[in-house]
């Protein structure tokens, strides 16, 4: 096994923003065709005989899009990493993924195993690549004099170099950040690295990951537990985990795990050997709930980047939590209403999926008719009982989304954070009033990241034109229900840009 490449998708949280942080609230999260890739191969093909007195292994980490390369020494006894050279800032998500994947390999394999020893002695060469849609390329497109359209995005080379946001104009000495679109790049990257390393080191088999593996559960579950741990420890808090769960398993309805399953790891990480921490995590009570979910047929996910530079999710979440503590009664009331509206939207979408299955020809006709009309004219096609039922559910889904948006705005006002800023409100209103648009909203925590829209039939091209005229760049993102997968090779040479030619995991 000379090269292993794995990938994991980015996400769009359609419902459940903020609420998903607390059990038993649900969130609907869609995985996408936008993927992070991790490629693992040996640094040295040959191992010198004298190197069998092994204590350390070399690790080379390369991120071509950021023009970064770092070298590490990994202690094989403690699974600790020591950075010996870095061209720029460190990547805590990848560093934790490496440490925990290696600790799992020790746990899964008898320590004397020669095959594992050899892999470590050869060193680990890890390359990470993110699909273009994780990042903002508006500046490049505008500097080339190209229109703000998906076609212009499509002219960029796959895995193009990433530009940074300009530093603060007040002269503050802070590092410029990468301009992102809010698709969960850190979760997808962490998951891809964990999966690629675990497969490379023989801990899991990504070609058949749903079967029971070495730890008495499916290999997918092992990837999930280690990726969640790595991601939480890298960001120094136990989040809801929906983004990692989506990166592993694909589109789903999600209820978070109890934070206690990882809280001991945060403390133990300074004392216990990492393979012991991993052992306890793999035996822990992971009580998250995950049910299959995807959009009804003939509905399409679109994302539009308004060019506002994105938002900081942690600071927005912090402000909402502060408001919850300062006005618990009002917060509870708002959250209950929001939970009800989220459930209503989920129910309507599920009913539409069932109507599509039971009355396909009628459903097809209704969606086709509504795709060229604005929502107030949809009722004109409610000529038969089944048509009427389908249109009733479409309009009901739209109403539920409008309620969600109102409540999210109210929560933002109360917490003094721009969950749906006024500029986004105007854009979303015009989007929802366009022909063939069912829903539009701010995904996840909201703010100035990309907005999402769900369109009917072939109405998407009209929407992208309308967005372009409003200075909004429609991204190439689409829903793809698949989670983590084994790739057929390095995506730069295999011509893979969005998870095509992959072994997908159903």
């Amino acid at each position: 096994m000379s090269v292993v490449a794995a990938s994991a998708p980015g996400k769009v949280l359609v419902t459940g923003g903020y609420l998903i942080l607390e059990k038993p609230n649900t969130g609907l999260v869609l995985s996408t065709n936008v993927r992070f890739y991790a490629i693992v191969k040996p640094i040295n093909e040959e191992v010198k005989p004298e190197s069998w007195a092994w204590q350390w292994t070399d690790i080379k980490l390369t991120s071509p899009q950021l023009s970064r390369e770092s070298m590490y020494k990994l202690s094989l006894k403690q699974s600790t990493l020591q950075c010996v050279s870095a061209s720029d800032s460190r990547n805590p998500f990848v560093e934790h993924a490496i440490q925990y994947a290696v600790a799992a390999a020790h746990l899964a394999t008898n320590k004397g195993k020669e095959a594992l020893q050899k892999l470590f002695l050869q060193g680990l060469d890890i390359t990470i690549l993110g699909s273009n849609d994780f990042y903002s390329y508006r500046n490049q497109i505008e500097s080339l004099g190209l229109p703000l359209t998906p076609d212009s995005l499509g002219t960029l080379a796959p895995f193009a170099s990433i530009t940074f946001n300009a530093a603060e104009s007040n002269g503050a000495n802070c590092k410029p950040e990468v301009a992102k679109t809010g698709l969960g790049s850190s979760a997808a990257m962490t998951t891809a690295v964990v999966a690629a390393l675990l497969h490379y080191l023989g801990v899991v088999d990504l070609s058949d990951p749903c079967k029971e593996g070495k730890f008495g559960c499916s290999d997918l579950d092992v990837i999930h537990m280690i990726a969640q741990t790595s991601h939480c420890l890298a960001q120094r808090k136990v989040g809801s985990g929906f983004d990692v769960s989506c990166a592993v398993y694909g589109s789903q309805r999600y209820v978070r795990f109890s934070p206690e399953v990882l809280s001991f790891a945060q403390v133990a990480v300074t004392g216990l050997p990492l393979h012991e921490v991993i052992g306890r995590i793999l035996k822990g009570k992971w009580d998250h709930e995950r049910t299959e979910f995807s959009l009804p047929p003939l509905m399409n996910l679109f994302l539009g980047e308004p060019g506002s530079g994105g938002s900081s999710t942690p600071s927005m979440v912090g402000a909402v939590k502060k408001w919850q503590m300062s006005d618990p009664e009002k917060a509870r009331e708002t959250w209950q209403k929001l939970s009800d509206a989220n459930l209503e939207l989920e129910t309507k979408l599920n009913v539409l999926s069932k109507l599509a299955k039971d009355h396909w020809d009628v459903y097809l006709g209704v969606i086709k008719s509504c795709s060229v009309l604005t929502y107030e004219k949809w009722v004109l096609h409610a000529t038969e009982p089944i048509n009427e039922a389908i249109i009733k559910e479409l309009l009901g889904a739209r109403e539920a989304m409008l309620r969600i948006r109102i409540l999210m705005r109210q929560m933002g006002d109360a917490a003094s954070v721009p969950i749906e800023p006024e500029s986004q409100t105007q854009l979303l209103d015009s989007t929802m009033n366009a022909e063939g648009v069912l829903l539009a909203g701010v995904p996840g925590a909201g703010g100035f990241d990309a907005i999402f829209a769900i369109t009917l039939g072939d109405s998407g091209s009209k929407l992208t034109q309308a967005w372009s005229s409003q200075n909004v760049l429609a991204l190439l993102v689409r829903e793809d229900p698949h989670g983590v997968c084994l790739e057929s090779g390095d995506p730069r040479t295999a011509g893979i840009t969005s998870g095509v030619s992959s072994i997908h995991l159903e």
Side-chain angles (χ1 to χ4, degrees):
M1 183 193 300
S2 54
V3 181
V4 165
S7 72
K11 53 70 190 170
V12 176
L13 185 67
V14 174
T15 70
Y18 297 96
L19 274 70
I20 205 170
L21 290 164
E22 295 180 12
K23 290 174 83 76
N25 295 315
T26 63
L28 297 180
V29 55
L30 301 179
S31 55
T32 68
N33 59 343
V34 178
R35 290 185 161 260
F36 233 99
Y37 298 81
I39 303 134
V40 183
K41 60 184 181 182
I43 295 175
N44 307 302
E45 285 299 335
E46 296 302 319
V47 179
K48 293 174 184 168
E50 63 269 21
S51 63
W52 284 93
W54 58 305
Q55 290 299 322
W56 297 82
T57 189
D58 293 320
I59 293 182
K60 178 182 173 186
L61 175 62
T62 311
S63 176
Q65 288 160 291
L66 294 171
S67 304
R68 287 180 183 166
E69 186 179 294
S70 304
M71 288 299 299
Y72 297 88
K73 292 280 186 188
L74 175 76
S75 161
L76 294 171
K77 198 172 183 182
Q78 278 98 21
S79 296
T80 50
L81 270 181
Q82 186 182 329
C83 188
V84 291
S85 74
S87 57
D88 212 319
S89 59
R90 307 266 294 268
N91 188 326
F93 294 98
V94 176
E95 289 179 7
H96 280 81
I98 293 167
Q99 287 177 279
Y100 281 85
V102 168
H106 280 309
L107 205 60
T109 315
N110 297 330
K111 287 188 181 174
K113 280 282 180 76
E114 285 196 9
L116 186 63
Q117 278 186 337
K118 186 181 177 188
L119 289 174
F120 284 138
L121 289 171
Q122 288 177 305
L124 300 170
D125 182 333
I126 303 166
T127 302
I128 52 173
L129 299 161
S131 295
N132 287 350
D133 275 336
F134 279 116
Y135 306 102
S136 173
Y137 289 92
R138 282 179 73 101
N139 292 344
Q140 288 95 315
I141 287 171
E142 286 169 343
S143 67
L144 292 167
L146 295 171
L148 285 172
T149 62
D151 287 345
S152 297
L153 266 181
T155 63
L156 297 173
F159 315 114
S161 294
I162 297 161
T163 56
F164 293 82
N165 281 326
E168 293 296 317
S169 54
N170 61 10
N173 184 24
C174 60
K175 281 190 177 179
E177 291 220 11
V178 174
K180 295 183 182 179
T181 54
L183 289 169
S185 55
S186 64
M189 174 174 62
T190 304
T191 302
V193 172
V194 165
L197 276 172
L198 290 179
H199 186 90
Y200 183 81
L201 298 173
V203 181
V204 303
D205 180 3
L206 273 175
S207 60
D208 189 11
C210 295
K211 72 174 194 316
E212 187 175 304
K214 296 183 177 181
F215 291 109
C217 57
S218 80
D219 283 346
L220 270 189
D221 291 341
V222 172
I223 294 167
H224 175 251
M225 289 183 273
I226 294 174
Q228 285 286 16
T229 307
S230 306
H231 193 254
C232 287
L233 290 175
Q235 61 185 2
R236 299 185 177 181
K237 66 182 179 70
V238 180
S240 68
F242 79 87
D243 44 4
V244 172
S245 185
C246 181
V248 175
Y249 301 106
S251 296
Q252 60 191 265
R253 177 191 195 262
Y254 179 81
V255 178
R256 70 157 305 150
F257 54 85
S258 299
E260 296 76 42
V261 78
L262 282 180
S263 53
F264 96 92
Q266 292 174 294
V267 179
V269 81
T270 53
L272 284 176
L274 275 190
H275 63 271
E276 284 187 36
V277 176
I278 282 292
R280 284 180 61 176
I281 282 163
L282 292 171
K283 289 175 188 160
K285 189 174 175 7
W286 289 82
D287 54 356
H288 57 289
E289 294 169 32
R290 178 177 53 82
T291 349
E292 213 171 283
F293 176 83
S294 59
L295 290 175
L298 307 180
M299 293 189 189
N300 302 295
L301 172 72
F302 281 82
L303 265 80
E305 188 204 338
S308 319
S311 296
S312 168
T313 298
S315 62
M316 291 176 70
V317 169
V320 169
K321 283 186 171 176
K322 194 175 172 186
W323 161 67
Q324 279 182 285
M325 288 188 284
S326 66
D327 193 352
E329 198 172 319
K330 181 65 180 168
R332 269 196 302 273
E333 183 190 335
T334 305
W335 276 40
Q336 187 55 57
K337 286 179 180 174
L338 201 42
S339 177
D340 292 343
N342 287 338
L343 185 60
E344 177 75 2
L345 177 55
E346 180 189 337
T347 303
K348 297 292 180 195
L349 293 174
N350 285 334
V351 171
L352 283 162
S353 290
K354 188 168 189 325
L355 284 165
K357 190 179 174 185
D358 295 345
H359 308 280
W360 175 251
D361 291 343
V362 181
Y363 178 88
L364 175 65
V366 170
I367 297 295
K368 201 172 177 183
S369 301
C370 293
S371 70
V372 294
L373 299 171
T374 55
Y375 78 95
E376 68 270 16
K377 293 178 184 167
W378 293 353
V379 288
L380 300 174
H381 291 274
T383 50
E384 303 287 335
I386 299 300
N387 299 50
E388 192 178 356
I390 294 166
I391 288 163
K392 184 185 168 194
E393 297 304 321
L394 289 171
L395 292 171
R398 181 191 158 80
E399 285 303 314
M401 190 70 223
L402 287 171
R403 280 209 306 285
I404 290 168
R405 286 183 51 207
I406 289 166
L407 290 161
M408 292 285 264
R409 281 201 299 275
Q410 288 174 359
M411 185 160 66
D413 292 343
S416 302
V417 284
I419 293 176
E420 188 185 290
E422 198 175 325
S423 59
Q424 300 281 59
T425 297
Q426 292 169 3
L427 176 57
L428 291 169
D429 286 346
S430 68
T431 299
M432 283 188 74
N433 291 330
E435 291 174 1
V437 175
L438 179 66
L439 314 171
V442 288
F448 293 97
D449 286 339
I451 63 164
F452 76 88
I454 307 292
T455 65
L456 304 177
D458 297 327
S459 58
S461 55
K462 271 192 182 177
L463 176 64
T464 59
Q465 287 166 15
W467 275 353
S468 183
S469 69
Q470 296 174 78
N471 203 36
V472 175
L473 175 59
L475 303 179
L476 299 168
V477 182
R478 295 293 178 269
E479 183 197 10
D480 178 343
H482 303 102
V484 71
C485 62
L486 186 65
E487 296 290 343
S488 54
D490 186 324
R492 293 167 296 181
T493 52
I496 302 164
T497 57
S498 59
V500 183
S501 310
S502 314
I503 301 170
H504 283 310
L505 315 179
E506 296 298 342

